[in-house]
Amino acid sequence: ANSGDGDPFSALSALGSLFKVTGGVLFVSSFFYAIPFCALAVASSNLYLGKPITLRQAYRAPLRRLSKLLWTVLLYALAMAIASLFCVVGVIWPGIAFLFAAQVFSLEDKTGVAALKRSAQLVSTYSGRVFGALCLLAVIHFVMVVGISVPLGYAFDSLLRITPGGHSIFAAGDLRQTDMIRQEIVGQTSSGVADLLVLPFIISVITVLYYDLRVRKEAFDIELLARDLNYAPLPAFANHPPAVAMPISPGVGVRGTR
């Protein structure tokens, strides 16, 4: 019993350590990506709606609410960490449900639990459609990353070969180990550059998907049209939209008689 074999307290302690490590990694990585994600969401949203956008405006949304962004990211990482405790596949559901957290945070000014619930509400009844779109997006992302990283890796490797003493940077005893280190660094560098180039495309597609769900569930396109026509917001009319006067041609009566 003293060895800890079969001890439930040892198992709980190990589970707690795993939870802390997993949650910490997810929180740090999520917060690292949250600021550019939110900025890209604002930029792609303005482009989608035909509005001008600057770099300063795009980053203003996440940076002016940094503490609230921290809280939202913490809840997101906590949900993902809890799901990962059951199985790796378990993170798929919160990953889909909270897919639009950055868009909701940046474009609807919702934070914390409200932002996650709003994202889940948009995804509900369309989770299969969102999952299919994410699978297709993952394939496109893979093709784009490979298409960018392979030429970059080849160019970087060729540059090292023609640079005098270039390979001495990765010298590690034997030739085989040196070559493995060189390939790893070249691969990681090229993949990082490729991800940096592909990320705006990914966020733009997710933002368009966010608006697609709003159009399907909330008639957001009609709301935009009403806004352009200077109508009051549609929720103000509840289920009774304002009547529109029918145009009457000059000389024509109401019943169509002259």
Side-chain angles (χ1 to χ4, degrees), residues 204-222:
S204 298
V205 172
I206 294 177
T207 302
V208 172
L209 185 59
Y210 158 81
Y211 278 118
D212 176 70
L213 293 184
R214 290 196 62 181
V215 168
R216 293 175 183 275
K217 303 191 71 170
E218 303 170 351
F220 183 71
D221 52 342
I222 299 178

Side-chain angles (χ1 to χ4, degrees), residues 34-258:
I35 295 177
F37 272 26
C38 291
L40 287 171
V42 173
S44 57
S45 172
N46 281 33
L47 291 175
Y48 178 82
L49 299 176
K51 299 179 180 179
I53 186 65
T54 63
L55 186 64
R56 181 179 179 181
Q57 292 173 340
Y59 275 94
R60 184 183 302 167
L63 293 179
R64 68 183 173 87
R65 302 159 62 209
L66 199 58
S67 60
K68 295 180 179 180
L69 180 61
L70 275 170
W71 171 237
T72 306
V73 170
L74 178 61
L75 292 178
Y76 176 86
L78 185 62
M80 298 294 287
I82 293 175
S84 67
L85 289 178
F86 296 96
C87 62
V88 178
V89 182
V91 301
I92 293 179
W93 182 87
I96 293 175
F98 305 144
L99 176 66
F100 304 113
Q103 282 74 17
V104 172
F105 177 88
S106 304
L107 307 176
E108 301 186 27
D109 288 336
K110 296 182 184 294
T111 60
V113 177
L116 299 183
K117 288 178 65 176
R118 169 62 172 163
S119 178
Q121 182 264 329
L122 285 173
V123 173
S124 63
T125 70
Y126 287 99
S127 56
R129 183 183 185 90
V130 174
F131 178 72
L134 285 179
C135 290
L136 180 60
L137 192 60
V139 173
I140 296 175
H141 173 265
F142 174 78
V143 172
M144 292 180 68
V145 168
V146 171
I148 295 174
S149 62
V150 170
L152 281 176
Y154 178 78
F156 187 40
D157 191 49
S158 300
L159 182 63
L160 286 176
R161 293 179 184 277
I162 63 176
T163 302
H167 289 281
S168 62
I169 302 175
F170 310 110
D174 60 84
L175 183 62
R176 183 177 179 180
Q177 187 176 2
T178 299
D179 191 59
M180 289 177 60
I181 295 175
R182 176 181 54 80
Q183 290 181 0
E184 179 69 19
I185 293 177
V186 170
Q188 291 293 335
T189 303
S190 57
S191 296
V193 173
D195 281 331
L196 187 64
L197 297 175
V198 173
L199 181 61
F201 169 78
I202 300 296
I203 300 300
S204 298
V205 172
I206 294 177
T207 302
V208 172
L209 185 59
Y210 158 81
Y211 278 118
D212 176 70
L213 293 184
R214 290 196 62 181
V215 168
R216 293 175 183 275
K217 303 191 71 170
E218 303 170 351
F220 183 71
D221 52 342
I222 299 178
E223 182 179 338
L224 287 178
L225 179 60
R227 193 181 305 168
D228 291 339
L229 295 175
N230 295 323
Y231 278 113
L234 292 184
F237 299 106
N239 296 324
H240 304 284
V244 179
M246 297 297 294
I248 301 176
S249 301
V252 178
V254 175
R255 298 180 178 272
T257 58
R258 294 185 180 274

